[in-house]
Amino acid sequence: MKTLFQKIADREIPAKIVFEDDQCFAIEDINPQAPVHILVIPKRVIARLGNAEADDAALLGHLLVSAATIARERGIDAGGFRTVINSGRDAGETVPHLHVHLLGGRALAWPPG
Ligand code: 5GP
């Protein structure tokens, strides 16, 4: 069965796709928590960071480099931005297909709730 994000990648569910290459794609979050809130998503499904293995290292690195590229394109790199990966129930994960949240465009509080 496809994940929600696989259905978006296959254009079965609409979303604003803002970046795509052979390994990943990025969409505007449907419920943005900051002026820029983008999800960077691998095409190969890893359910969550807690399941990642050594073989996933290059793909995980690619997601972060892609997030940085998008941050520069959106002009939020100078002010600063945050990347978040929620892994599992206590972190608030709601979609079991690993994704990197890219948040920016305003000052973000720390520590998180
Ligand atoms: P998580 O809670 O798993 O870390 O993040 C899931 C994110 O996916 C949430 O920020 C949520 O707003 C976003 N989301 C859930 N369903 C959809 C959808 O159908 N389209 C888009 N663009 N984002 C979604």
Side-chain angles (χ1 to χ4, degrees):
M1 238 178 54
K2 286 186 187 180
T3 69
L4 169 68
F5 292 151
Q6 282 177 301
K7 289 178 185 167
I8 288 175
D10 291 343
R11 276 62 174 179
E12 292 168 16
I13 293 177
K16 188 157 181 215
I17 297 177
V18 297
F19 174 87
E20 184 165 19
D21 66 15
D22 58 325
Q23 297 180 68
C24 72
F25 63 104
I27 61 174
E28 302 273 3
D29 196 289
I30 204 168
N31 182 24
Q33 302 301 310
V36 175
H37 187 174
I38 289 168
L39 306 175
V40 186
I41 305 164
K43 290 185 175 174
R44 178 165 66 76
V45 178
I46 303 168
R48 61 190 55 79
L49 190 60
N51 292 19
E53 312 253 9
D55 280 356
D56 299 319
L59 180 56
L60 292 170
H62 183 74
L63 298 179
L64 289 180
V65 172
S66 299
T69 301
I70 296 165
R72 288 193 292 272
E73 284 172 4
R74 290 298 179 101
I76 56 171
D77 55 313
F81 60 89
R82 184 172 295 166
T83 51
V84 174
I85 302 174
N86 295 319
S87 183
R89 183 195 58 219
D90 284 355
E93 173 202 308
T94 58
V95 179
H97 178 159
L98 185 150
H99 47 282
V100 177
H101 294 258
L102 169 64
L103 296 146
R106 67 169 173 83
L108 300 164
W110 191 263

